[in-house]
Structures are given as C-alpha cells and as structure tokens.
Amino acid sequence: NSYTLTLMVLYFLCHTGAVPYITPAPQRVDQLPPMPEYQPNRKGGGDMPWEEVHQRLAQFLEFYAAWPPGAVVSLVHPPASAPLAKADMDGLTVAADQFCVQDPFLLDFNTARNISSMTWRGIKKCFAKAAVLVKEDPAALFRPLPPKADPWRSLR
C-alpha cells in the first residue's frame, strides 16, 4: 500500500543520509505550532535534477532488492548501518521470513502484513531487474507502455 511504500522511501532516504533522521518526540497535538501556509514550487518543472532522481531510484530499488530476511523497516529507531532484526523489536510479532515495515504510530503493527514471504521474494526480484533498467536506460521511465492485446478478440 502507499503508506508502506512511503515509510520505505523515508527509511531509505534517512539511511542514505539524503534527509536527516528526526527522533520522534511525543507531543500534545494542541501544543504543536500551526501548519505553515502552503508555498507552491516556484522553480517550475524544468529545474528537476533528473539524473539524481534516476540515481536515487536505482539505489532505492537495489537497497530493497538486497533487504535481508528477518530485518525490519523502522523509523522509530535511527537507521543504522544494518537494519534492525525482528527479534530486537519489542511487541512486534511477525513470521521470521515475512517482510516487515513497522508503523511508527502503532509500534506492534506491520504495515506490510499482507505481503507474504513468497510475494516479497518476487518483489525483490522485480526491484533488482528494475534497478538495472533504470541504470541502463533512464529514459525508459517516461516511455509509454505498448498497448495490451485485447483478450476478448479471439472470442468474438
């Protein structure tokens, strides 16, 4: 789901130092400062550093393609050189070979609970292949896919 993918991206960016890790601090919601007013991007789309985007995407795909079994994606603890093991996580009960992304708000909840170990192995293989594609041909990200054949044509 998109929440799990967002947590994975944030973990990756913190792990690689692209964004700083901020230690969560419990606060009362009524004491938080007001949200700043939305400021649209004034630079325009032409200033996007596409080469860096391609590099980061390939690194993200490689990072999770090599994700070790028994490790947890967790933003509750600062990303270390090696991911935390499930055994080190208090209250988080997950099968040994299941992919696990810890919800930073419900600490005993795996947001990736619907991804079986077999499905995760398939996803990792796809990530590895996609990383190669992004490195070899970054423009492929923007090419439209060929149209699919009509599956009902033979029945007409």
Side-chain angles (χ1 to χ4, degrees):
N1 65 35
S2 60
Y3 181 53
T4 298
L5 187 57
T6 300
L7 293 174
M8 291 170 64
V9 169
L10 286 172
Y11 180 88
F12 166 76
L13 292 173
C14 288
H15 180 81
T16 59
V19 297
Y21 175 80
I22 300 171
T23 304
Q27 295 181 349
R28 290 181 40 155
V29 174
D30 61 345
Q31 294 177 349
L32 292 174
M35 290 291 291
E37 187 177 323
Y38 171 73
Q39 297 293 321
N41 180 2
R42 301 202 193 297
K43 292 182 180 177
D47 296 339
M48 182 60 116
W50 288 112
E51 187 173 319
E52 182 182 348
V53 170
H54 294 142
Q55 289 172 354
R56 293 251 187 234
L57 177 58
Q59 291 167 353
F60 170 85
L61 294 166
E62 290 171 333
F63 182 76
Y64 285 108
W67 191 254
V72 177
V73 175
S74 175
L75 289 167
V76 177
H77 308 280
S81 58
L84 293 171
K86 290 176 196 159
D88 298 333
M89 306 296 288
D90 292 331
L92 192 61
T93 54
V94 181
D97 60 346
Q98 185 179 15
F99 180 57
C100 184
V101 178
Q102 182 183 33
D103 189 312
F105 302 104
L106 303 170
L107 302 182
D108 60 347
F109 189 71
N110 176 13
T111 67
R113 67 195 176 285
N114 295 329
I115 301 174
S116 69
S117 58
M118 186 170 73
T119 302
W120 178 240
R121 284 192 299 272
I123 291 170
K124 287 174 64 169
K125 287 179 185 176
C126 289
F127 278 3
K129 289 178 182 178
V132 170
L133 178 64
V134 169
K135 284 180 167 180
E136 290 177 354
D137 186 12
L141 294 172
F142 303 102
R143 269 191 230 115
L145 294 173
K148 292 184 178 180
D150 181 2
W152 302 104
R153 183 178 179 146
S154 62
L155 300 176
R156 290 186 194 151

